[in-house]
Every structure is written in structure tokens, then in C-alpha cells.
Amino acid sequence: MIVDNKIIKYIKNSCLLLALILVSCSDYLDTNIYGEPLLESFYKTPEDAERAVIAAYTPMREMYGRENFIASTSNDLLFGDIGTDDLLKGGARASDGPQLYEKELYNLTSSNKSVENIWKVNFKGVYFANLVLEKVPEIAFEDEARKKEIIAEAYFLRAYYYFDLVNTFGGVPLITEPLEVGEFNVPRTTQEAIYTLIEDDLKIAIPALPSRFDKGTDYLGHADKGAALGLMMRVSLYQNKMEQVKTYGDQLFTLSYKLEDDYGSIFNSVGEWGSGSIFEVNYSTNSDNLGGRMPHMMAPRSKGGIGFGQVKDDLRNEFEANDPRLDASFYNVTGGYGTEWFVRKYAWAPYTDYAIPSVGGKGNNANNIRIIRLSDAYLMYAEAIYNTDPGTAVEYVNKVRKRARGANAITVVPDLPAALSGQPLLDAIYHERRVELAGEGFRFHDLIRTNRAETILAPLGFQKNKHEIMPIPLSQISLSQGVLVQNNY
């Protein structure tokens, strides 16, 4: 739980900004607001700019945080991977959590509450980022370097929110400035146009952002150069732009990241912002009520949790014999509905060193969300070059496997053969991604982008040319008076 006190203060104060833009704070924080500052009286000082950019991070937090229960079921850790061969919905019974049950059965409707929250929360983030990009350039700063960083953070954030939107819905409305009343009915643009905007935003952010290794600990939680490079690698991978993955990976690997020695420490408090952490979402368990909800969502019901996102046998069986990552990733609690196997990576004591919250309820957890890790970047890089430089691809996969092996004998998670190439190498990379990143919300997207979803997920109800993306929320189609066109639902 590494959290900058300034960020805590700015998040609390950002309710004033939320009031500015007609979004109520009452559901987020127990804060009394006396009067509503007008837009024209805000965005005047560097302090205003800091508050504005921190407000632009709040939708990112909301997708995993205590302030919005349904949103915290709607991220890739749960809604994303439920319905795959990795995760069972879980909960108290088969129909518990109807928004997740629809995904598990691939019986999705346009009234699905998770789908609606993905749309609303991400477009709120786009709006906040657009406000920063429109208003902050006009603010006078003594520290021009910090002004440049704030603007670059906003470009990163807009790319981040649009990336979630395009992967969920395909083409969506492309909005690059705050809209006025009467301008809200923006039609969908193409998926390609959204990806172009994402890449353009990241190309602006990358050279302008500092590296966290050149900043103090109070910068942790802000997007930095490594975060932007890592996100650009992922954006490129999802478009099958493999040369671009390599280009940005080469830049990322010049920074001071290195794999942590102990895989088992990564998802404990001692592992927050470790040497292999590229980007995290910060949470704090204290009276500020700025905690995250994921451990509560994913803990067994007998241990005070809700029990969502239980691990299927198919995923556990993917691990090689004696792979230490198996025990580091999952734990078993018998009794109740489901597989009785749970994700350790977002757990509280005694399964990690994170204590069960003592204030703010069980949804007020300190566990940071790990968004981008170095091992993920290594495996993206290996996948990008496996066909053109198989020897180097093997080296990068073996970096991940050696760390997983730790001090065990070389027969445990053994190195891939140096001469491995072609489809066997690609299959080995796919395997490594599944076990290294198990429970981190990548399985569904990995199957979609590699065209394996139909083969693997069809027995679970997945239909090709339909379930790759989700339905546009009916509420948004109704508000648009038909301007928004539905997907194949």
C-alpha cells in the first residue's frame, strides 16, 4: 500500500471537481461540499491542475474500488475472464451476480450492468482527461516540467480508458474535447480510428513522461514513461503489430526494471511497486475509505468474501509439475458453491500479508492492482519476435521461467531449449502467459487476439463474430435516440 499523501488529498478534493461536472460525490466519499464551484473559477492554478489530473485517475480506481460495487465486478479480473477456461463465476449459487452469470453463459444482454459500468466509468475517465487537456495548457506554472508531465499523464489516461472501451465494444464514439450541452450524441467510429487515437496519445505521452526511477516515492501511482511504453506494447500486441511491440519493448527494457527474485512476493504488500512493477493502481485501507474491493470480491464466502472468480481445474492443470507459481497464485478453501479454488494474488490474510480491513468495511482493502508487469512485457516481446528471432524469444521466455524456478533444481520449470522455434515456441509462449499471468485478467483477451477463442470457448457458449465484443448498453442507445448502433446482439 504505497500511496502518496498528496494523491489521497487530491482524490478527496477532486469531489469538488466532480461537482463541477455534474457527477455526484455522494456515492464515492463521505464529504460535505458547501457550494459548487463554477467551471470558470477552476483551472486557474497549478494546484487546480494537480487536482484535475488526480480526478482523471479516479475512474481507473473506481473499476476496482469500494465506491462502485458493480464496477468492481466489471473489470477484467472478473467480468473479463469469467466465461473462459480459467475462471468460474462462483459466488453463493449459479445465478448469483446476474451480470457475471450472463458472461459465464455467453447469454449477454444490452441491459447487463457490468457492460453499462464499463461504458460509463471509462467515458467518465475520457471526459476528465479531456478537461485536463483543454484547461491545463492555459494555466501558468513556475514548474513548467511538472505542467508538461500533467498533460502527458492526461494523454496516457485517455489512451488507457479508450483501450478498455475498444476491447469491450469495438468502435465507440471518439471524443477528444469536453462536450457542451447539445453535443452529446456522437456516433460510433471504427475500431481502427479508436486505436489510432490511443497510439497517438501514447506517442505524445512517452517522451514527455518521466521514469518513476528518476522520481521519489511520492510519484508512485502516477503514469510514467515505463507505464506508457508498457501500455503501447499491449496496444500494439492486441492489433498484431509485432514490429511495433518490439520497438517499444526495446525502449522499455532500457529503463531500470528487473524481475523480482521471488514470484511469491509480488502480490503481497512487500511487492508493491517492486523492481518488476511497471504500473499499479494504488489503494489504501484507512479512514479515508480509499480502499479497493477486489479481495472482498474474490475471497471465499466462508472467509467473509463474496466468492467470485473461482479457479477452474483447466487452469490449475496448465501448470507444470512443481511449478512454484501454482501455490503462489491460488489457494483452496473447501465448502460452498464453486470449484473451491481462489485467486491468491488478490487476497487478504492469511493468504497474503494484507490484513483484513479494520475500518471502512471489507471492501476497503490496501491491495494495489498490478496493471503492467515486466514479465508480461517480456512475454509480449517474445511473442512479437518468435518468428523472426526465435533465439532471442527463447531467452526472454527463459528469463520468466528462471525467476519462477527460483532456487529449485533446474528440472523445475526447466529452460526452453535454445533451438525451439515455430509453432512449438509460440505454444510455449502461450503456455507461459497463461501460468505467469494467471488470475490477472488476460485470458479472454489473449484468446480473442490470437484467434483461439472459438476453439477453446465454444463448448462454454462462445460464438465467433459475436462474443469477441460486448453489447452496447441499451441505456446509451436509448439516450442517443438511435445514433448509437448496436453490436451483433
Side-chain angles (χ1 to χ4, degrees), residues 9 46 54 77 94-95 132 182 185 187 195 272 286 307 375 406 453 455 460:
K9 178 183 72 174
I54 294 301
L77 297 178
S95 58
V132 173
N185 267 2
Y195 267 119
E272 289 183 354
N286 53 39
S375 58
T455 300
L460 302 176

Side-chain angles (χ1 to χ4, degrees), residues 432-450:
E432 203 63 31
R433 283 189 63 82
R434 193 178 183 196
V435 297
E436 171 71 18
L437 306 174
E440 297 179 45
F442 295 107
R443 181 60 171 172
F444 181 75
H445 294 304
D446 276 355
L447 293 177
I448 296 297
R449 67 176 181 78
T450 58

Side-chain angles (χ1 to χ4, degrees), residues 60-79:
M60 179 188 292
R61 296 185 74 265
E62 186 177 347
M63 289 300 295
Y64 305 93
R66 71 182 297 278
E67 56 265 43
N68 184 336
F69 184 91
I70 296 297
S72 64
T73 72
S74 307
N75 52 66
D76 284 336
L77 297 178
L78 289 177
F79 186 80

Side-chain angles (χ1 to χ4, degrees), residues 343-376:
V343 176
R344 189 186 296 272
K345 292 178 176 179
Y346 292 107
W348 53 37
Y351 309 105
T352 67
D353 68 354
Y354 289 101
I356 297 173
S358 59
V359 295
K362 292 178 180 177
N364 193 37
N365 293 275
N367 308 53
N368 284 3
I369 302 297
R370 280 63 165 177
I371 300 294
I372 307 173
R373 300 199 289 115
L374 183 61
S375 58
D376 179 18

Side-chain angles (χ1 to χ4, degrees), residues 294-321:
M294 299 318 298
H296 180 222
M297 281 290 182
M298 303 173 80
R301 297 184 77 86
S302 63
K303 302 296 183 181
I306 299 175
F308 286 147
Q310 295 184 34
V311 181
K312 291 184 175 181
D313 290 346
D314 196 294
L315 174 55
R316 292 192 301 112
N317 292 336
E318 181 77 14
F319 286 76
E320 296 160 55

Side-chain angles (χ1 to χ4, degrees), residues 213-271:
F213 297 108
D214 298 326
K215 293 281 194 175
T217 57
D218 62 348
Y219 194 79
L220 296 177
H222 293 271
D224 75 336
K225 188 181 299 293
L229 286 166
L231 183 56
M232 182 65 105
M233 289 182 72
R234 190 175 291 167
V235 167
S236 302
L237 186 76
Y238 280 37
Q239 298 175 87
N240 200 34
K241 293 184 175 181
M242 296 309 190
E243 290 186 8
Q244 195 163 281
V245 175
K246 181 182 184 302
T247 295
Y248 289 100
D250 287 337
Q251 295 179 44
L252 178 67
F253 301 155
T254 65
L255 302 177
S256 299
Y257 298 103
K258 72 179 189 67
L259 293 175
E260 298 88 344
D261 292 333
D262 178 15
Y263 183 89
S265 71
I266 295 171
F267 287 86
N268 282 271
S269 64
V270 295

Side-chain angles (χ1 to χ4, degrees), residues 41-52 136 139-141 150:
S41 67
F42 198 71
Y43 301 107
K44 299 297 184 182
T45 68
E47 175 85 357
D48 292 341
E50 294 283 3
R51 289 167 58 193
V136 171
I139 298 176
F141 275 67
I150 289 172

